């Protein structure tokens, strides 16, 4: 497959350009049933909507079909692992089912819904991040589980009760939000016993950029699905507006983008990080387009967009797009005993073309194009 070479002096078509780069570099994404590939596929779904070029939908289907078997089982996936990350790719089953009518996509969605029906929860009803991380809410998990859950209800459920979806956000927000800064801590342990948490509050120690990025992306995506008259809709919008206000206070004024650890710009080793910046851009732009955020955010949107291009993007001689300065991974606890300290967050590898960052970049730039389309 060859990619299109674009005029590198423009800032147009970034979402399609990055999608084309992905398809040329990695024609097949079949290594694992992995949540980060789902972020790329969601971006390409938006690019397909923008361009109506079937190569993007075909790429999604080809790569999802490595996993979705004829009987609807998912290769490499087991329900009773109870890992909320494994739900994320299920978001692509809905457009594939609509496009093809193939029952295996619906059966696979039923399987992921079955996981959520039995997924372990905190005493108040929030999903554990994973069975191996008991009694813990991580911001990341809201993006992995909630939009799929809401869309499953809309598409397939007999009773359209979204309250369990909105409850996930309310509990997460209640337990992770810092009243002083308005920022959200990466995670909360209900039992207050994990080595990484404060023994009095159960909270992790830092405001990690990508974790809040996952959360705000989840908010705008669930608002796509949540009925206009749902009793919690205003609360979800309020979470978005409050969190965005807090994020804009820690935006780097010179570059327009965001740090790995958001509120410590001057700390030794901290760096401007691309995936968080792209996720925040996606949420700001979609929030503007859908009317959840006021028009004054347009200036912020432009600052972040321009900053991402200038700070993180390079283009190869072949015209392929690179996204630089992405934190490869960050978590808490587990076999590596990740302690959530500032030193930990800046110690993880910083890489080029990480799928999470690429997917967020495609999503964000597609939203910018949608926002800037002429009104018909």
């Amino acid at each position: 497959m060859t990619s299109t070479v674009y005029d590198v002096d423009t800032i147009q078509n970034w979402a399609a350009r990055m999608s084309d780069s992905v398809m040329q570099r990695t024609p097949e994404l079949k290594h694992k049933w992995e949540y980060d590939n789902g972020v790329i596929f969601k971006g390409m779904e938006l690019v397909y909507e923008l361009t109506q070029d079937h190569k993007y939908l075909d790429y999604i289907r080809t790569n999802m079909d490595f996993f979705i078997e004829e009987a609807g089982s998912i290769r490499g996936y087991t329900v009773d692992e109870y890992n909320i990350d494994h739900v994320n790719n299920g978001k692509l089953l809905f457009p594939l089912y609509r496009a093809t009518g193939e029952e295996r996509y619906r059966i696979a969605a039923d399987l992921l819904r079955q996981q959520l029906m039995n997924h372990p929860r905190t005493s108040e009803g929030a999903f554990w991040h994973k069975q191996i991380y008991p009694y813990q809410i991580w911001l990341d998990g809201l993006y992995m589980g909630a939009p799929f859950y809401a869309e499953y209800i809309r598409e397939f459920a007999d009773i359209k009760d979204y309250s369990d979806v909105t409850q996930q956000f309310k509990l997460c927000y209640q337990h992770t939000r810092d009243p002083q800064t308005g920022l959200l801590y990466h995670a909360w342990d209900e039992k207050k016993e994990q080595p990484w948490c404060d023994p009095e509050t159960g909270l992790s120690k830092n405001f990690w950029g990508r974790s809040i990025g996952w959360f705000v992306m989840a908010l705008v995506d669930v608002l796509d699905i949540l009925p206009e008259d749902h009793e919690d809709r205003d609360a979800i919008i309020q979470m978005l507006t409050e969190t965005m206000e807090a994020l804009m206070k820690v935006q780097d004024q010179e570059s327009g983008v965001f740090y790995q650890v958001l509120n410590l710009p001057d700390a030794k080793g901290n760096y401007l990080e691309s995936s968080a910046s792209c996720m925040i851009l996606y949420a700001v732009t979609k929030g503007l387009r859908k009317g959840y955020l006021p028009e004054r955010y347009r200036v912020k949107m432009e600052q972040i967009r321009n900053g991402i291009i200038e700070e993180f993007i390079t283009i190869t001689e072949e015209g392929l797009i690179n996204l630089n300065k992405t934190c490869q991974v960050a978590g808490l606890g587990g076999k590596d005993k990740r302690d959530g300290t500032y030193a930990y967050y800046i110690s993880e590898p910083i890489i080029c073309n990480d799928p999470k960052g690429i997917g967020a970049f495609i999503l964000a730039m597609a939203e910018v194009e949608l926002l800037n389309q002429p009104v018909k």
Side-chain angles (χ1 to χ4, degrees), residues 108-123:
D110 291 343
L111 193 61
L112 295 169
R113 174 67 183 102
Q114 181 186 334
Q115 175 184 326
L116 295 182
M117 288 175 67
N118 299 299
H119 198 97
R121 297 174 182 240
T122 66
S123 63

Side-chain angles (χ1 to χ4, degrees), residues 159-264:
I159 299 172
K160 310 295 186 190
D161 184 0
Y162 297 90
S163 298
D164 194 27
V165 179
T166 57
Q167 181 76 342
Q168 302 303 313
F169 287 99
K170 291 194 292 184
L171 290 170
C172 180
Y173 198 67
Q174 170 191 330
H175 288 297
T176 63
R177 185 173 186 266
D178 174 45
Q180 260 103 37
T181 63
L183 296 170
L184 310 182
Y185 289 99
H186 186 179
W188 174 73
D189 171 26
E190 181 179 29
K191 295 293 187 182
K192 303 178 182 177
E193 62 186 22
Q194 292 298 320
W196 49 258
C197 80
D198 183 303
E200 293 185 9
T201 66
L203 288 163
S204 60
K205 301 178 179 72
N206 282 285
F207 304 117
W208 179 41
R210 186 157 74 224
S211 67
I212 302 183
W214 289 126
F215 185 79
V216 292
M217 289 209 303
L219 289 171
V220 293
D221 285 355
V222 162
L223 283 167
D224 279 346
I225 301 162
L226 199 63
E228 293 284 343
D229 60 353
H230 193 276
E231 62 182 359
D232 290 330
R233 187 174 177 86
D234 288 346
I236 300 296
I237 294 173
Q238 184 175 349
M239 289 179 208
L240 177 66
T241 56
E242 290 178 352
T243 307
M244 281 300 167
E245 283 294 309
L247 284 168
M248 293 311 119
K249 290 175 183 173
V250 293
Q251 180 191 24
D252 180 57
Q253 294 306 301
E254 183 177 349
S255 68
V257 294
F258 295 86
Y259 279 89
Q260 164 77 340
V261 178
L262 289 166
N263 63 325
L264 300 174

Side-chain angles (χ1 to χ4, degrees), residues 18 25 31 35 62 75 126 163 213 246 248 250 260 263 273 287 291:
M18 181 62 90
R25 286 191 180 105
H31 178 59
Y35 73 89
T62 297
R75 185 171 59 83
S163 298
M248 293 311 119
V250 293
Q260 164 77 340
N263 63 325
E273 200 278 334

Side-chain angles (χ1 to χ4, degrees), residues 5 32 41 92 152 155 162 344:
V5 178
K32 290 175 69 174
F41 298 153
L92 284 307
Y152 185 94
E155 297 295 321
Y162 297 90
Y344 163 69

